[in-house]
Every structure is written in C-alpha cells, then in structure tokens.
Amino acid sequence: MSAQVIGTPGEVPSWSAREEGSRMEKRHRRATSHVSADDRRMGRRQGISFLLGFLLFLGCFGVYFASQTDYVQKSWLYPYPYRETVEHYARTYGVDSSLAAGVIHAESRFKSDAQSHRGAVGLMQLMPDTAEWIAGQVDNDYHCSLAKLQEPDTNIRYGIWYLASLQREFDGNDILALAAYNAGRGNVQEWMTQYGWQQDFNSVESIPYAETREYVTRVLKYQKKYKTLYAPHSEGFLSASVRP
C-alpha cells in the first residue's frame, strides 16, 4: 500500500483542489451578487419613497396655498349666501353683519333646512319657543309656524334681532351675548353672579361649558374671516334701536 504524498509549498494544486477553489469562488460571487441586488432594490425603494414624499409635500403645499386664495375661501370655506338679507337686518338692528354671518356659519353653515337634534331650526338655529317669543316682540304675533321659521328671511330677521337684544342686555359684550345665544341668557346671568363677571368680561376660557367656549371661539374666528373677505360691504353698518 503506497503512502499518500502530501503536496509541498510551491507545488501545483491537484485538479480536485482547483475544482474546490472554483466552487468556492462561484459561491462567493453569487453571494456578492445577491447582496448587490438587495442593495439595488433597497436603493430603488428609498428613491421611490423619497419621490412620493416629495410629491405629497408639493400636493399639501399646493392645497394649502390654494385654500388661502379669496376665491377658494369665498366659494368653499366661507361662502356668503343670503348676504343682502343678513346685511339688511344687521343694519336694521345695529349688529355687525360679519358677526351675524359668523353666527350663521357656526350654527348651520348657511343651510336653510338645518335642524338640530334638540329641535333648533333654520339658518340661525332658533328654537320654536324662542322664535314665538321673538315674533311677539317684533311682529306682535305670538305664533310662528315651523314653515315660517324655516324661511330664510324670517329666520335671519328673528335671529339677528335676538342677537341684538342679547348684545343690549349684556352692554355690547359680544362674548357674553354669544355665550347667551348658545347656552341661554339665564345660564350667562347665573355665571356672572357666581363668578363675579362684569360687563367687560373677555375671558372665553373661563366659560364653564366646553361646548359654549368652543362656540364663542368659532364665531369670533368666523367674524374675522367674513370681515376680511367681505369687508367692503360689512363695514360701516348703521346702528338702530331694538324694541324691548
């Protein structure tokens, strides 16, 4: 039995050694190619994600920019239907028409058929019993049918008259008048007594009802928007006395 001869340094590798080396090299190339392919796929995904993010940013910026234009704001965000009617009764009863528009926007978004789950009706969301009381004060008629209350002219007239009466009751304090429009004059009078509020009250955050705080904040915001967007016609309203 012959002894196996082990190769010495410098000796040419046998065929089997060369084959094994070739296989190892191929496996290394395949592994390297897989890593490179994964890197390329990851790079493509990152590139697509960056592009989509950039396009989303441009889209959001474009929407924001478009929403700031007067055309978009007047057409979609702060429309002003029944404007002549609002301005007419605002002049008649001495109310800032921008404030009246803000109330309507907050109450119904100018939808004449709006009706709340509590029973408030129309553009200015008047309760039927309140509307009947107003009808008695304005028209000497203590009956106001639901159909009549849903008429835009009647609803706006009664609502603005009521807002004017609240402003007068609270010495022209819009915050107190708006709080009373939302929560009722009795609640506001009670808060004034309980918390020592004066006629110069201006702390919306102190209003106990969250709904009323948010309501007053919204209306004052809308008032500013309507005054800015429709300033030529909403400024310079005429004061007029309101019958008790």
Side-chain angles (χ1 to χ4, degrees):
M1 182 175 181
S2 60
Q4 183 177 0
V5 178
I6 299 175
T8 59
E11 184 178 10
V12 177
S14 65
W15 179 85
S16 60
R18 288 197 300 274
E19 185 181 66
E20 180 63 23
S22 177
R23 283 199 296 268
M24 292 178 64
E25 185 178 354
K26 288 179 180 178
R27 284 198 297 270
H28 176 72
R29 283 200 299 268
R30 284 198 297 270
T32 303
S33 67
H34 287 324
V35 172
S36 299
D38 289 343
D39 288 343
R40 287 193 294 271
R41 284 194 292 270
M42 183 176 294
R44 284 195 295 270
R45 285 196 294 268
Q46 290 175 341
I48 292 172
S49 297
F50 175 80
L51 179 60
L52 291 176
F54 182 69
L55 291 175
L56 180 61
F57 169 78
L58 286 180
C60 292
F61 180 79
V63 170
Y64 172 78
F65 180 78
S67 70
Q68 301 308 301
T69 64
D70 284 358
Y71 174 78
V72 171
Q73 295 216 359
K74 287 183 176 182
S75 300
W76 302 101
L77 301 179
Y78 301 99
Y80 202 168
Y82 311 108
R83 180 180 177 184
E84 291 185 3
T85 304
V86 172
E87 292 181 345
H88 168 71
Y89 288 119
R91 286 192 301 269
T92 300
Y93 298 122
V95 174
D96 180 3
S97 61
S98 297
L99 181 64
V103 169
I104 298 174
H105 188 82
E107 292 286 354
S108 66
R109 292 188 175 273
F110 284 89
K111 296 178 181 177
S112 62
D113 59 350
Q115 186 163 351
S116 75
H117 65 281
R118 297 176 182 174
V121 176
L123 292 161
M124 300 196 73
Q125 289 292 278
L126 297 171
M127 296 295 290
D129 55 347
T130 302
E132 289 199 353
W133 174 77
I134 295 171
Q137 304 299 311
V138 176
D139 295 327
N140 293 319
D141 179 4
Y142 286 89
H143 175 70
C144 179
S145 67
L146 185 62
K148 182 179 179 182
L149 186 55
Q150 288 176 324
E151 295 174 357
D153 187 271
T154 299
N155 198 280
I156 291 171
R157 181 188 178 200
Y158 285 5
I160 292 180
W161 183 94
Y162 183 52
L163 181 60
S165 74
L166 292 173
Q167 286 183 318
R168 186 187 57 187
E169 179 175 344
F170 295 104
D171 290 340
N173 188 310
D174 285 347
I175 293 176
L176 294 176
L178 292 172
Y181 196 97
N182 176 260
R185 63 210 314 160
N187 280 321
V188 174
Q189 290 167 351
E190 182 179 335
W191 296 337
M192 293 182 72
T193 300
Q194 181 178 354
Y195 300 111
W197 296 352
Q198 303 300 317
Q199 298 295 346
D200 60 351
F201 174 81
N202 62 2
S203 178
V204 178
E205 297 77 13
S206 300
I207 297 174
Y209 290 177
E211 177 187 336
T212 303
R213 286 197 304 271
E214 294 167 3
Y215 174 83
V216 173
T217 300
R218 286 200 314 273
V219 173
L220 293 177
K221 171 190 170 184
Y222 298 154
Q223 178 190 20
K224 291 180 180 178
K225 295 299 293 188
Y226 277 96
K227 190 176 290 292
T228 299
L229 291 170
Y230 303 94
H233 296 283
S234 61
E235 293 180 348
F237 61 91
L238 302 176
S239 296
S241 59
V242 181
R243 286 195 298 141

PDB file of all heavy atoms in Angstrom, residues 117-144:
ATOM      1  N   HIS A 117     -80.730  68.101  16.614  1.00  0.00           N
ATOM      2  CA  HIS A 117     -81.433  67.044  17.345  1.00  0.00           C
ATOM      3  C   HIS A 117     -82.206  67.621  18.534  1.00  0.00           C
ATOM      4  O   HIS A 117     -83.102  66.971  19.076  1.00  0.00           O
ATOM      5  CB  HIS A 117     -80.430  65.991  17.840  1.00  0.00           C
ATOM      6  CG  HIS A 117     -79.453  66.500  18.855  1.00  0.00           C
ATOM      7  ND1 HIS A 117     -78.333  67.238  18.497  1.00  0.00           N
ATOM      8  CD2 HIS A 117     -79.432  66.398  20.202  1.00  0.00           C
ATOM      9  CE1 HIS A 117     -77.656  67.558  19.599  1.00  0.00           C
ATOM     10  NE2 HIS A 117     -78.294  67.062  20.643  1.00  0.00           N
ATOM     11  N   ARG A 118     -81.862  68.844  18.931  1.00  0.00           N
ATOM     12  CA  ARG A 118     -82.591  69.484  20.027  1.00  0.00           C
ATOM     13  C   ARG A 118     -83.840  70.223  19.545  1.00  0.00           C
ATOM     14  O   ARG A 118     -84.625  70.719  20.345  1.00  0.00           O
ATOM     15  CB  ARG A 118     -81.670  70.469  20.744  1.00  0.00           C
ATOM     16  CG  ARG A 118     -80.466  69.815  21.414  1.00  0.00           C
ATOM     17  CD  ARG A 118     -79.552  70.854  22.016  1.00  0.00           C
ATOM     18  NE  ARG A 118     -78.372  70.255  22.630  1.00  0.00           N
ATOM     19  CZ  ARG A 118     -77.345  70.947  23.132  1.00  0.00           C
ATOM     20  NH1 ARG A 118     -77.385  72.282  23.073  1.00  0.00           N
ATOM     21  NH2 ARG A 118     -76.319  70.329  23.666  1.00  0.00           N
ATOM     22  N   GLY A 119     -83.967  70.341  18.211  1.00  0.00           N
ATOM     23  CA  GLY A 119     -85.148  70.994  17.660  1.00  0.00           C
ATOM     24  C   GLY A 119     -84.923  72.386  17.128  1.00  0.00           C
ATOM     25  O   GLY A 119     -85.874  73.035  16.666  1.00  0.00           O
ATOM     26  N   ALA A 120     -83.677  72.886  17.191  1.00  0.00           N
ATOM     27  CA  ALA A 120     -83.381  74.210  16.637  1.00  0.00           C
ATOM     28  C   ALA A 120     -83.533  74.166  15.118  1.00  0.00           C
ATOM     29  O   ALA A 120     -83.196  73.177  14.473  1.00  0.00           O
ATOM     30  CB  ALA A 120     -81.977  74.646  17.025  1.00  0.00           C
ATOM     31  N   VAL A 121     -84.008  75.273  14.556  1.00  0.00           N
ATOM     32  CA  VAL A 121     -84.434  75.280  13.157  1.00  0.00           C
ATOM     33  C   VAL A 121     -83.755  76.400  12.373  1.00  0.00           C
ATOM     34  O   VAL A 121     -83.581  77.511  12.876  1.00  0.00           O
ATOM     35  CB  VAL A 121     -85.972  75.446  13.071  1.00  0.00           C
ATOM     36  CG1 VAL A 121     -86.431  75.564  11.621  1.00  0.00           C
ATOM     37  CG2 VAL A 121     -86.669  74.279  13.750  1.00  0.00           C
ATOM     38  N   GLY A 122     -83.404  76.088  11.121  1.00  0.00           N
ATOM     39  CA  GLY A 122     -83.024  77.103  10.144  1.00  0.00           C
ATOM     40  C   GLY A 122     -81.613  77.620  10.229  1.00  0.00           C
ATOM     41  O   GLY A 122     -80.758  77.093  10.942  1.00  0.00           O
ATOM     42  N   LEU A 123     -81.382  78.681   9.471  1.00  0.00           N
ATOM     43  CA  LEU A 123     -80.050  79.254   9.314  1.00  0.00           C
ATOM     44  C   LEU A 123     -79.418  79.652  10.643  1.00  0.00           C
ATOM     45  O   LEU A 123     -78.234  79.405  10.880  1.00  0.00           O
ATOM     46  CB  LEU A 123     -80.112  80.474   8.393  1.00  0.00           C
ATOM     47  CG  LEU A 123     -80.439  80.175   6.921  1.00  0.00           C
ATOM     48  CD1 LEU A 123     -80.929  81.432   6.227  1.00  0.00           C
ATOM     49  CD2 LEU A 123     -79.204  79.617   6.219  1.00  0.00           C
ATOM     50  N   MET A 124     -80.193  80.280  11.509  1.00  0.00           N
ATOM     51  CA  MET A 124     -79.657  80.748  12.780  1.00  0.00           C
ATOM     52  C   MET A 124     -80.049  79.842  13.939  1.00  0.00           C
ATOM     53  O   MET A 124     -79.844  80.184  15.111  1.00  0.00           O
ATOM     54  CB  MET A 124     -80.079  82.200  13.037  1.00  0.00           C
ATOM     55  CG  MET A 124     -79.571  83.149  11.958  1.00  0.00           C
ATOM     56  SD  MET A 124     -79.625  84.906  12.394  1.00  0.00           S
ATOM     57  CE  MET A 124     -78.281  85.039  13.574  1.00  0.00           C
ATOM     58  N   GLN A 125     -80.595  78.654  13.604  1.00  0.00           N
ATOM     59  CA  GLN A 125     -80.885  77.608  14.585  1.00  0.00           C
ATOM     60  C   GLN A 125     -81.651  78.136  15.794  1.00  0.00           C
ATOM     61  O   GLN A 125     -81.188  78.082  16.942  1.00  0.00           O
ATOM     62  CB  GLN A 125     -79.583  76.937  15.017  1.00  0.00           C
ATOM     63  CG  GLN A 125     -78.946  76.064  13.955  1.00  0.00           C
ATOM     64  CD  GLN A 125     -79.765  74.811  13.657  1.00  0.00           C
ATOM     65  OE1 GLN A 125     -79.691  73.821  14.364  1.00  0.00           O
ATOM     66  NE2 GLN A 125     -80.573  74.870  12.606  1.00  0.00           N
ATOM     67  N   LEU A 126     -82.837  78.627  15.526  1.00  0.00           N
ATOM     68  CA  LEU A 126     -83.706  79.137  16.580  1.00  0.00           C
ATOM     69  C   LEU A 126     -84.628  78.037  17.084  1.00  0.00           C
ATOM     70  O   LEU A 126     -85.182  77.260  16.296  1.00  0.00           O
ATOM     71  CB  LEU A 126     -84.544  80.304  16.056  1.00  0.00           C
ATOM     72  CG  LEU A 126     -83.759  81.546  15.615  1.00  0.00           C
ATOM     73  CD1 LEU A 126     -84.694  82.528  14.918  1.00  0.00           C
ATOM     74  CD2 LEU A 126     -83.070  82.206  16.801  1.00  0.00           C
ATOM     75  N   MET A 127     -84.805  77.968  18.388  1.00  0.00           N
ATOM     76  CA  MET A 127     -85.779  77.053  18.963  1.00  0.00           C
ATOM     77  C   MET A 127     -87.180  77.611  18.697  1.00  0.00           C
ATOM     78  O   MET A 127     -87.393  78.834  18.753  1.00  0.00           O
ATOM     79  CB  MET A 127     -85.546  76.899  20.450  1.00  0.00           C
ATOM     80  CG  MET A 127     -84.202  76.255  20.799  1.00  0.00           C
ATOM     81  SD  MET A 127     -84.078  74.535  20.233  1.00  0.00           S
ATOM     82  CE  MET A 127     -85.239  73.731  21.346  1.00  0.00           C
ATOM     83  N   PRO A 128     -88.153  76.764  18.397  1.00  0.00           N
ATOM     84  CA  PRO A 128     -89.511  77.250  18.086  1.00  0.00           C
ATOM     85  C   PRO A 128     -90.116  78.129  19.175  1.00  0.00           C
ATOM     86  O   PRO A 128     -90.760  79.137  18.859  1.00  0.00           O
ATOM     87  CB  PRO A 128     -90.302  75.942  17.912  1.00  0.00           C
ATOM     88  CG  PRO A 128     -89.279  74.958  17.417  1.00  0.00           C
ATOM     89  CD  PRO A 128     -88.023  75.307  18.152  1.00  0.00           C
ATOM     90  N   ASP A 129     -89.902  77.780  20.457  1.00  0.00           N
ATOM     91  CA  ASP A 129     -90.495  78.612  21.509  1.00  0.00           C
ATOM     92  C   ASP A 129     -89.815  79.980  21.582  1.00  0.00           C
ATOM     93  O   ASP A 129     -90.468  81.000  21.827  1.00  0.00           O
ATOM     94  CB  ASP A 129     -90.437  77.906  22.864  1.00  0.00           C
ATOM     95  CG  ASP A 129     -89.038  77.486  23.245  1.00  0.00           C
ATOM     96  OD1 ASP A 129     -88.140  77.503  22.375  1.00  0.00           O
ATOM     97  OD2 ASP A 129     -88.815  77.133  24.428  1.00  0.00           O
ATOM     98  N   THR A 130     -88.502  79.996  21.339  1.00  0.00           N
ATOM     99  CA  THR A 130     -87.793  81.280  21.293  1.00  0.00           C
ATOM    100  C   THR A 130     -88.287  82.113  20.119  1.00  0.00           C
ATOM    101  O   THR A 130     -88.487  83.327  20.233  1.00  0.00           O
ATOM    102  CB  THR A 130     -86.278  81.066  21.174  1.00  0.00           C
ATOM    103  OG1 THR A 130     -85.824  80.288  22.282  1.00  0.00           O
ATOM    104  CG2 THR A 130     -85.527  82.387  21.148  1.00  0.00           C
ATOM    105  N   ALA A 131     -88.493  81.449  18.979  1.00  0.00           N
ATOM    106  CA  ALA A 131     -88.973  82.149  17.780  1.00  0.00           C
ATOM    107  C   ALA A 131     -90.360  82.741  18.021  1.00  0.00           C
ATOM    108  O   ALA A 131     -90.658  83.852  17.551  1.00  0.00           O
ATOM    109  CB  ALA A 131     -88.996  81.197  16.589  1.00  0.00           C
ATOM    110  N   GLU A 132     -91.217  82.036  18.736  1.00  0.00           N
ATOM    111  CA  GLU A 132     -92.548  82.581  19.012  1.00  0.00           C
ATOM    112  C   GLU A 132     -92.461  83.819  19.910  1.00  0.00           C
ATOM    113  O   GLU A 132     -93.193  84.789  19.722  1.00  0.00           O
ATOM    114  CB  GLU A 132     -93.423  81.502  19.660  1.00  0.00           C
ATOM    115  CG  GLU A 132     -93.808  80.401  18.687  1.00  0.00           C
ATOM    116  CD  GLU A 132     -95.003  79.599  19.163  1.00  0.00           C
ATOM    117  OE1 GLU A 132     -95.439  79.816  20.316  1.00  0.00           O
ATOM    118  OE2 GLU A 132     -95.510  78.775  18.384  1.00  0.00           O
ATOM    119  N   TRP A 133     -91.550  83.776  20.892  1.00  0.00           N
ATOM    120  CA  TRP A 133     -91.359  84.950  21.741  1.00  0.00           C
ATOM    121  C   TRP A 133     -90.845  86.124  20.915  1.00  0.00           C
ATOM    122  O   TRP A 133     -91.315  87.250  21.062  1.00  0.00           O
ATOM    123  CB  TRP A 133     -90.387  84.613  22.866  1.00  0.00           C
ATOM    124  CG  TRP A 133     -90.022  85.801  23.695  1.00  0.00           C
ATOM    125  CD1 TRP A 133     -90.785  86.403  24.658  1.00  0.00           C
ATOM    126  CD2 TRP A 133     -88.811  86.559  23.619  1.00  0.00           C
ATOM    127  NE1 TRP A 133     -90.126  87.484  25.191  1.00  0.00           N
ATOM    128  CE2 TRP A 133     -88.897  87.609  24.576  1.00  0.00           C
ATOM    129  CE3 TRP A 133     -87.652  86.458  22.853  1.00  0.00           C
ATOM    130  CZ2 TRP A 133     -87.885  88.539  24.774  1.00  0.00           C
ATOM    131  CZ3 TRP A 133     -86.632  87.372  23.050  1.00  0.00           C
ATOM    132  CH2 TRP A 133     -86.755  88.409  24.002  1.00  0.00           C
ATOM    133  N   ILE A 134     -89.886  85.847  20.012  1.00  0.00           N
ATOM    134  CA  ILE A 134     -89.345  86.914  19.156  1.00  0.00           C
ATOM    135  C   ILE A 134     -90.442  87.469  18.256  1.00  0.00           C
ATOM    136  O   ILE A 134     -90.549  88.691  18.054  1.00  0.00           O
ATOM    137  CB  ILE A 134     -88.162  86.375  18.307  1.00  0.00           C
ATOM    138  CG1 ILE A 134     -86.998  85.979  19.209  1.00  0.00           C
ATOM    139  CG2 ILE A 134     -87.706  87.430  17.295  1.00  0.00           C
ATOM    140  CD1 ILE A 134     -85.880  85.237  18.483  1.00  0.00           C
ATOM    141  N   ALA A 135     -91.258  86.576  17.707  1.00  0.00           N
ATOM    142  CA  ALA A 135     -92.346  87.022  16.825  1.00  0.00           C
ATOM    143  C   ALA A 135     -93.277  87.971  17.558  1.00  0.00           C
ATOM    144  O   ALA A 135     -93.766  88.958  16.988  1.00  0.00           O
ATOM    145  CB  ALA A 135     -93.120  85.813  16.299  1.00  0.00           C
ATOM    146  N   GLY A 136     -93.502  87.694  18.836  1.00  0.00           N
ATOM    147  CA  GLY A 136     -94.346  88.585  19.618  1.00  0.00           C
ATOM    148  C   GLY A 136     -93.711  89.942  19.823  1.00  0.00           C
ATOM    149  O   GLY A 136     -94.394  90.973  19.835  1.00  0.00           O
ATOM    150  N   GLN A 137     -92.390  89.970  19.968  1.00  0.00           N
ATOM    151  CA  GLN A 137     -91.689  91.229  20.168  1.00  0.00           C
ATOM    152  C   GLN A 137     -91.570  92.032  18.872  1.00  0.00           C
ATOM    153  O   GLN A 137     -91.703  93.258  18.875  1.00  0.00           O
ATOM    154  CB  GLN A 137     -90.268  90.960  20.706  1.00  0.00           C
ATOM    155  CG  GLN A 137     -90.219  90.149  21.994  1.00  0.00           C
ATOM    156  CD  GLN A 137     -90.918  90.834  23.139  1.00  0.00           C
ATOM    157  OE1 GLN A 137     -90.685  92.018  23.415  1.00  0.00           O
ATOM    158  NE2 GLN A 137     -91.808  90.111  23.816  1.00  0.00           N
ATOM    159  N   VAL A 138     -91.360  91.338  17.777  1.00  0.00           N
ATOM    160  CA  VAL A 138     -91.089  92.012  16.504  1.00  0.00           C
ATOM    161  C   VAL A 138     -92.370  92.286  15.722  1.00  0.00           C
ATOM    162  O   VAL A 138     -92.548  93.369  15.150  1.00  0.00           O
ATOM    163  CB  VAL A 138     -90.116  91.170  15.648  1.00  0.00           C
ATOM    164  CG1 VAL A 138     -89.901  91.805  14.272  1.00  0.00           C
ATOM    165  CG2 VAL A 138     -88.786  90.989  16.364  1.00  0.00           C
ATOM    166  N   ASP A 139     -93.254  91.300  15.676  1.00  0.00           N
ATOM    167  CA  ASP A 139     -94.443  91.398  14.820  1.00  0.00           C
ATOM    168  C   ASP A 139     -95.752  91.442  15.592  1.00  0.00           C
ATOM    169  O   ASP A 139     -96.824  91.408  14.981  1.00  0.00           O
ATOM    170  CB  ASP A 139     -94.487  90.195  13.856  1.00  0.00           C
ATOM    171  CG  ASP A 139     -93.318  90.204  12.885  1.00  0.00           C
ATOM    172  OD1 ASP A 139     -92.879  91.303  12.512  1.00  0.00           O
ATOM    173  OD2 ASP A 139     -92.845  89.118  12.518  1.00  0.00           O
ATOM    174  N   ASN A 140     -95.683  91.485  16.919  1.00  0.00           N
ATOM    175  CA  ASN A 140     -96.893  91.419  17.748  1.00  0.00           C
ATOM    176  C   ASN A 140     -97.729  90.187  17.401  1.00  0.00           C
ATOM    177  O   ASN A 140     -98.959  90.216  17.429  1.00  0.00           O
ATOM    178  CB  ASN A 140     -97.742  92.688  17.578  1.00  0.00           C
ATOM    179  CG  ASN A 140     -97.052  93.917  18.144  1.00  0.00           C
ATOM    180  OD1 ASN A 140     -96.445  93.844  19.221  1.00  0.00           O
ATOM    181  ND2 ASN A 140     -97.134  95.028  17.432  1.00  0.00           N
ATOM    182  N   ASP A 141     -97.032  89.125  17.053  1.00  0.00           N
ATOM    183  CA  ASP A 141     -97.697  87.877  16.691  1.00  0.00           C
ATOM    184  C   ASP A 141     -96.993  86.754  17.449  1.00  0.00           C
ATOM    185  O   ASP A 141     -95.838  86.438  17.161  1.00  0.00           O
ATOM    186  CB  ASP A 141     -97.618  87.652  15.181  1.00  0.00           C
ATOM    187  CG  ASP A 141     -98.283  86.351  14.753  1.00  0.00           C
ATOM    188  OD1 ASP A 141     -98.872  85.661  15.615  1.00  0.00           O
ATOM    189  OD2 ASP A 141     -98.211  86.021  13.556  1.00  0.00           O
ATOM    190  N   TYR A 142     -97.663  86.161  18.407  1.00  0.00           N
ATOM    191  CA  TYR A 142     -97.018  85.152  19.239  1.00  0.00           C
ATOM    192  C   TYR A 142     -97.145  83.744  18.670  1.00  0.00           C
ATOM    193  O   TYR A 142     -96.947  82.759  19.368  1.00  0.00           O
ATOM    194  CB  TYR A 142     -97.587  85.195  20.666  1.00  0.00           C
ATOM    195  CG  TYR A 142     -97.078  86.394  21.422  1.00  0.00           C
ATOM    196  CD1 TYR A 142     -97.771  87.597  21.364  1.00  0.00           C
ATOM    197  CD2 TYR A 142     -95.902  86.338  22.156  1.00  0.00           C
ATOM    198  CE1 TYR A 142     -97.299  88.716  22.038  1.00  0.00           C
ATOM    199  CE2 TYR A 142     -95.422  87.446  22.829  1.00  0.00           C
ATOM    200  CZ  TYR A 142     -96.133  88.636  22.769  1.00  0.00           C
ATOM    201  OH  TYR A 142     -95.652  89.742  23.432  1.00  0.00           O
ATOM    202  N   HIS A 143     -97.453  83.680  17.388  1.00  0.00           N
ATOM    203  CA  HIS A 143     -97.466  82.377  16.722  1.00  0.00           C
ATOM    204  C   HIS A 143     -96.478  82.415  15.559  1.00  0.00           C
ATOM    205  O   HIS A 143     -96.559  83.301  14.703  1.00  0.00           O
ATOM    206  CB  HIS A 143     -98.863  82.023  16.203  1.00  0.00           C
ATOM    207  CG  HIS A 143     -98.878  80.741  15.415  1.00  0.00           C
ATOM    208  ND1 HIS A 143     -98.698  79.508  16.009  1.00  0.00           N
ATOM    209  CD2 HIS A 143     -99.033  80.513  14.087  1.00  0.00           C
ATOM    210  CE1 HIS A 143     -98.742  78.562  15.084  1.00  0.00           C
ATOM    211  NE2 HIS A 143     -98.950  79.155  13.910  1.00  0.00           N
ATOM    212  N   CYS A 144     -95.567  81.467  15.566  1.00  0.00           N
ATOM    213  CA  CYS A 144     -94.598  81.352  14.460  1.00  0.00           C
ATOM    214  C   CYS A 144     -94.551  79.888  14.057  1.00  0.00           C
ATOM    215  O   CYS A 144     -94.011  79.044  14.779  1.00  0.00           O
ATOM    216  CB  CYS A 144     -93.220  81.842  14.893  1.00  0.00           C
ATOM    217  SG  CYS A 144     -91.963  81.711  13.597  1.00  0.00           S
TER     218      CYS A 144
END
